[in-house]
């Protein structure tokens, strides 16, 4: 059934594919080929413009998307902004005499709090050079305001909106829909807090899920409000009262409360001109980050070949080959072995941003991390998420560094199965039958129900997987298994909480992890280069990868044209996951 639906969609997609690919290639080759290697000429009195209103990845190409204004349902948007590139640009600009300040354009950043904290720290460091950071927007989301609050001057359009009401997290539950469709979800898990399966079997959050969710969002909120308080000179209790009363949503009240200043764009532009000391009739020189990173680097290149390598692992963990938004164990292992065997690489920093995924793939990568750290230091640096399978990877490193707002832990394991027999028979009129050579030959090969014996087999395997996970975590953290299990159970922690209970060694960002890697490899500042792996794909490469991924194209076409088909692909994706799962309770988005 699933293959029939997929092949039908694939046929529809194929009718348009050749024509669209031809159009994109003809239009894009010239732009891509002439792109980014030429050096950008930077002018005096320049302002670095950071436009952060795009999806954020850990590592992204510096190139702009020439098709950003061309709507299409087939190709993924490759116009992402890279966190590593932002940090690099700010570090260069900090010592660049031609850059006088930063204009922060941030309204609705599509990023996690840990990534925004890294940028905020980099902007704080930039300000210490004596240069300015000004922010202006027509509206600020909660995340945008958190980041923009670091600015020397923070402006809002008088008719705009400030969303300042604290952090929340919302989950969707599908039990009633499954009941109506006569789909029976079967779940197998270990851990009181391993609530990843709850959307399929409940109509609301369990008490344990509510407890852990409230705990980690309160922890994150405390960090966020504390940093805003330090920047704006408003006490945390007062910020709490402002959030509870929704006062800041009124621009005039927000200004009176000292949270920002009101200004139209032309007035803000005049303030920028004063800041760079040019006349009101002169034109500001704004430099995009993508252009600036192609200008001459003001930081002298380090001599020699010694490197600290940053290996980026971003997305859901899957078996074998990864793709857009996923970590393939084969891909990861191949890159890690190269770095392990490269004599010029003296230490490795694993940059992890993952909610977890396949337990088998996680274990394969964990083993390779252990082998790598026998040769050279390996430091784990956690971004937004390093939970469940993401933590599985990190626990193999010599040390773990996390942001206070990182979501981590979730040490647990689960499996799921969908009994679709009644759905096929009663809703679609499709029945199944089979013959077997042995009693359980059809085990996990059909969409039917499982016997009690078969269920017990799966649960026992999940139990064994949990014992393996927790024993390896205990060994990696050098704590007793009893203590490790007391903080495991699938429970989610923030980086700040994880530091207190021993799941994390240091609080900080990527720079802290690099510093730790240098210390452990006995490298002094100025003795090593930092190199990022795998290399960020160019726009053209990303376009080709997107075009040649038929499954990704089918999903994007279905989302745009056949909303009902999305559930078909999601169910198919659940069925194809390899082995058991070590994942976050939910794919959560903090607001």
């Amino acid at each position: 059934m699933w293959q029939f639906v997929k092949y039908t969609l694939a046929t529809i997609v194929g009718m348009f594919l050749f024509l669209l690919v031809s159009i994109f290639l003809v239009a894009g080759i010239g732009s891509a080929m002439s792109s980014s290697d030429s050096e950008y000429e930077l002018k005096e009195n320049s302002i670095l413009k950071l436009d952060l209103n795009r999806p954020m990845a850990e590592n992204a190409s510096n190139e702009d998307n020439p098709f950003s204004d061309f709507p299409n349902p087939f190709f993924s948007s490759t116009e992402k902004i890279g966190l590593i590139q932002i940090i690099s640009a700010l570090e260069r600009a900090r010592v660049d005499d031609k850059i006088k300040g930063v204009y922060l354009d941030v309204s609705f950043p599509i990023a996690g709090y840990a990534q925004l904290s890294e940028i905020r720290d980099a902007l704080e460091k930039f300000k210490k050079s004596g240069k300015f950071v000004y922010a202006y927007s027509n509206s600020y989301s909660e995340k945008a305001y958190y980041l923009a609050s670091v600015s020397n001057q923070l402006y809002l359009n008088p008719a705009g909106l400030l969303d300042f009401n604290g952090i929340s997290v919302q989950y969707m539950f599908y039990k009633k829909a499954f009941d109506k469709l006569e789909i029976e979800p079967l779940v197998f898990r270990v851990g009181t807090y391993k609530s990843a399966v709850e959307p399929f079997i409940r109509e609301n959050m369990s008490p344990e899920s509510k407890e852990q969710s409230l705990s980690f969002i309160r922890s994150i909120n405390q960090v966020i409000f504390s940093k805003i308080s330090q920047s704006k000179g408003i006490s945390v209790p007062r910020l709490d009262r402002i959030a509870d009363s929704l006062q800041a949503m009124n621009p005039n009240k927000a200004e009176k409360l000292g949270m920002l200043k009101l200004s139209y764009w032309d007035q803000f532009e005049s303030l920028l001109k004063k800041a760079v000391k040019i006349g009101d009739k002169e034109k500001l020189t704004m430099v995009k980050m993508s252009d600036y990173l192609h200008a001459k680097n003001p930081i002298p290149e380090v001599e020699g070949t010694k490197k600290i390598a940053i290996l980026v692992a971003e997305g859901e963990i899957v078996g074998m080959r990864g793709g857009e938004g996923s970590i393939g164990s084969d891909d990861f292992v191949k890159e890690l072995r190269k770095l392990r065997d490269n004599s010029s690489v003296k230490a490795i920093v694993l940059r992890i941003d993952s909610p977890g995924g396949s337990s088998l793939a996680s274990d394969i990568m964990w083993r390779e991390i252990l082998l790598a750290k026998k040769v050279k230091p390996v430091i784990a640096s956690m971004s937004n998420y390093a939970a469940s399978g993401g933590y599985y990877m990190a626990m193999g490193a010599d040390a773990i560094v996390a942001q206070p707002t990182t979501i981590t832990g979730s040490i647990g394991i689960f499996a799921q199965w969908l009994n679709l027999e009644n759905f096929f028979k009663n809703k679609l009129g499709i029945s199944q039958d089979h013959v077997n050579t042995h009693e359980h030959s059809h085990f996990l090969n059909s969409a039917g129900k499982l016997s009690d014996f078969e269920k017990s087999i799966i649960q026992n395997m999940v139990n064994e997987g949990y014992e393996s996970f927790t024993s390896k975590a205990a060994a990696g953290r050098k704590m007793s298994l009893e203590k490790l299990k007391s903080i495991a159970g699938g429970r989610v922690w923030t980086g700040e909480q994880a530091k207190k209970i021993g799941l994390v060694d240091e609080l900080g960002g990527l720079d802290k992890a690099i510093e730790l890697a240098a210390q452990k490899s006995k490298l002094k500042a100025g003795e090593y280069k930092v190199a990022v792996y795998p290399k960020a794909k160019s726009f053209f490469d990303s376009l080709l990868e997107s075009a040649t991924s038929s499954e990704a194209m089918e999903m994007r076409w279905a989302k745009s044209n056949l909303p009902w088909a999305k559930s078909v692909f999601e169910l198919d994706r659940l069925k194809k996951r390899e082995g058991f799962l070590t994942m976050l309770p939910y794919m959560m988005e903090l607001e």
Side-chain angles (χ1 to χ4, degrees):
M1 171 61 187
W2 303 114
Q3 292 302 317
F4 169 76
V5 175
K6 288 183 66 188
Y7 288 147
T8 301
L9 292 176
T11 301
I12 297 171
V13 170
M15 293 170 62
F16 302 98
L17 179 57
F18 178 78
L19 178 61
L20 280 175
V21 170
S22 299
I23 292 172
F24 276 117
L25 293 183
V26 171
I29 285 176
S31 173
M33 295 297 289
S34 63
S35 64
S36 54
D37 290 332
S38 58
E39 185 174 295
Y40 178 81
E41 187 176 344
L42 188 64
K43 297 178 181 178
E44 298 288 344
N45 290 325
S46 291
I47 297 172
L48 176 62
K49 179 183 177 181
L50 287 184
D51 178 0
L52 304 183
N53 300 306
R54 287 181 282 168
M56 190 173 295
E58 290 296 312
N59 187 30
S61 171
N62 297 331
E63 299 175 26
D64 289 325
N65 179 359
F67 302 121
S68 57
D69 297 325
F70 189 91
N72 75 87
F74 292 95
F75 299 103
S76 65
S77 171
T78 56
E79 195 176 8
K80 294 182 179 180
I81 188 167
L83 175 68
I84 290 172
Q85 284 68 37
I86 295 169
I87 303 302
S88 176
L90 286 171
E91 183 61 20
R92 290 188 189 188
R94 186 176 66 87
V95 297
D96 195 328
D97 292 336
K98 292 183 178 180
I99 296 291
K100 302 303 179 185
V102 167
Y103 159 43
L104 191 57
D105 179 8
V106 55
S107 298
F108 298 96
I110 307 174
Y113 277 108
Q115 289 175 325
L116 296 176
S117 294
E118 296 249 0
I119 299 170
R120 205 177 188 281
D121 292 342
L123 287 167
E124 283 278 20
K125 186 177 179 181
F126 177 86
K127 282 167 55 181
K128 289 179 181 177
S129 68
K131 300 179 180 184
F132 66 83
V133 177
Y134 283 9
Y136 180 88
S137 182
N138 291 326
S139 297
Y140 289 105
S141 67
E142 192 108 26
K143 289 179 177 179
Y145 183 74
Y146 166 58
L147 181 56
S149 65
V150 76
S151 306
N152 301 95
Q153 299 289 343
L154 171 57
Y155 293 92
L156 172 69
N157 186 301
L161 178 70
L162 169 59
D163 179 12
F164 188 80
N165 54 6
I167 297 175
S168 69
V169 61
Q170 180 174 291
Y171 311 124
M172 295 185 70
F173 296 84
Y174 311 108
K175 183 182 183 302
K176 280 193 173 182
F178 276 18
D179 288 345
K180 289 181 179 180
L181 294 171
E182 296 188 61
I183 295 174
E184 181 191 11
L186 304 175
V187 300
F188 311 87
R189 60 176 168 172
V190 179
T192 306
Y193 295 94
K194 199 65 180 176
S195 46
V197 295
E198 286 188 1
F200 305 104
I201 59 175
R202 293 181 59 93
E203 296 176 22
N204 54 17
M205 298 167 68
S206 67
E208 294 81 9
S209 180
K210 282 190 175 182
E211 177 191 347
Q212 73 168 349
S213 296
L214 186 57
S215 175
F216 72 70
I217 66 171
R218 279 178 172 169
S219 176
I220 293 173
N221 195 83
Q222 184 178 16
V223 172
I224 300 311
F225 275 33
S226 294
K227 290 192 175 183
I228 293 173
S229 173
Q230 293 168 14
S231 295
K232 305 307 295 179
I234 305 173
S235 69
V236 171
R238 190 178 178 204
L239 288 173
D240 288 332
R241 291 194 295 271
I242 293 170
D244 286 336
S245 62
L246 300 180
Q247 293 180 69
M249 294 190 75
N250 182 303
N252 291 312
K253 286 185 179 179
E255 185 175 42
K256 289 178 182 177
L257 291 167
M259 300 187 74
L260 46 74
K261 294 181 180 180
L262 300 181
S263 168
Y264 287 103
W265 172 257
D266 60 292
Q267 296 170 319
F268 178 70
E269 197 173 31
S270 295
L271 292 168
L272 284 178
K273 289 178 179 180
K274 287 180 181 178
V276 296
K277 298 178 182 178
I278 64 173
D280 216 24
K281 293 184 179 181
E282 295 182 69
K283 189 175 180 180
L284 285 168
T285 303
M286 296 275 198
V287 184
K288 294 189 299 182
M289 189 187 80
S290 57
D291 288 334
Y292 182 62
L293 288 175
H294 288 114
K296 184 179 179 181
N297 191 344
I299 301 174
E301 186 174 348
V302 175
E303 295 181 1
T305 60
K306 295 178 181 178
K307 296 178 185 175
I308 291 178
I310 300 173
L311 179 54
V312 177
E314 183 174 21
E316 183 179 334
I317 297 170
V318 299
M320 301 175 68
R321 299 299 304 274
E324 184 181 344
S326 64
I327 306 167
S329 55
D330 283 5
D331 299 331
F332 178 87
V333 166
K334 183 179 178 181
E335 288 285 344
L336 184 57
R337 285 176 179 171
K338 285 181 184 177
L339 299 178
R340 183 187 71 192
D341 297 337
N342 188 335
S343 60
S344 66
V345 173
K346 303 303 179 184
I348 300 169
V349 173
L350 297 179
R351 179 64 175 183
I352 302 170
D353 188 16
S354 174
S358 163
S359 61
L360 172 59
S362 300
D363 192 73
I364 290 170
M365 294 187 292
W366 166 83
R367 177 62 182 174
E368 288 297 326
I369 292 166
L370 290 188
L371 296 176
K373 79 173 185 179
K374 290 180 179 180
V375 179
K376 57 193 67 174
V378 178
I379 309 297
S381 171
M382 296 177 168
S383 184
N384 296 317
Y385 304 100
S388 212
Y391 190 81
Y392 208 125
M393 296 172 67
M395 71 189 188
D398 290 295
I400 301 174
V401 180
Q403 283 284 357
T405 52
T406 294
I407 292 175
T408 188
S410 192
I411 299 173
I413 189 168
F414 71 95
Q416 57 192 9
W417 180 256
L418 299 177
N419 177 5
L420 302 170
E421 186 175 284
N422 289 332
F423 170 68
F424 283 156
K425 182 173 66 176
N426 300 332
K427 302 300 181 182
L428 302 179
I430 298 173
S431 59
Q432 301 180 79
D433 202 355
H434 52 79
V435 293
N436 306 321
T437 59
H438 292 77
E439 187 174 353
H440 301 287
S441 296
H442 67 291
F443 181 40
L444 300 182
N445 287 325
S446 73
K449 61 185 178 181
L450 302 177
S451 68
D452 289 341
F453 173 73
E454 289 168 338
K455 291 177 185 177
S456 70
I457 292 294
I458 298 176
Q459 186 61 58
N460 287 337
M461 293 175 70
V462 169
N463 294 344
E464 290 172 3
Y466 182 70
E467 291 301 316
S468 176
F469 191 172
T470 52
S471 62
K472 289 171 181 176
R477 299 310 301 162
K478 295 179 174 58
M479 67 172 66
S480 69
L481 182 58
E482 182 181 10
K483 182 180 178 182
L484 190 283
K485 284 187 174 181
S486 72
I487 55 178
R491 177 147 186 173
V492 175
W493 307 95
T494 64
E496 188 168 59
Q497 293 171 330
K499 171 71 165 59
K500 292 176 182 177
I501 60 177
L503 292 179
V504 162
D505 296 295
E506 300 279 352
L507 294 179
L510 189 55
D511 57 344
K512 181 69 177 178
I514 293 170
E515 178 186 324
L516 203 55
Q519 289 175 4
K520 289 187 176 292
S521 54
K522 298 179 181 178
L523 293 173
K524 297 179 181 178
E527 288 185 345
Y528 61 88
K529 304 172 185 177
V530 176
V532 183
Y533 302 89
K535 299 298 182 183
K537 292 183 176 68
S538 67
F539 167 78
F540 193 57
D541 288 340
S542 298
L543 180 65
L544 286 177
E545 183 180 88
S546 177
T548 54
S549 175
S550 60
E551 183 172 353
M553 290 183 64
E554 290 163 19
M555 173 61 100
R556 282 189 286 273
W557 188 87
K559 284 182 177 180
S560 299
N561 298 276
L562 300 172
W564 58 267
K566 179 180 177 182
S567 59
V568 171
F569 280 94
E570 285 300 314
L571 289 174
D572 185 63
R573 188 170 69 92
L574 291 176
K575 288 167 66 62
K576 288 194 304 183
R577 281 173 170 164
E578 182 178 0
F580 300 117
L581 301 178
T582 51
M583 291 192 72
L584 271 176
Y586 311 89
M587 291 306 295
M588 60 188 71
E589 178 67 25
L590 304 185
E591 300 292 348

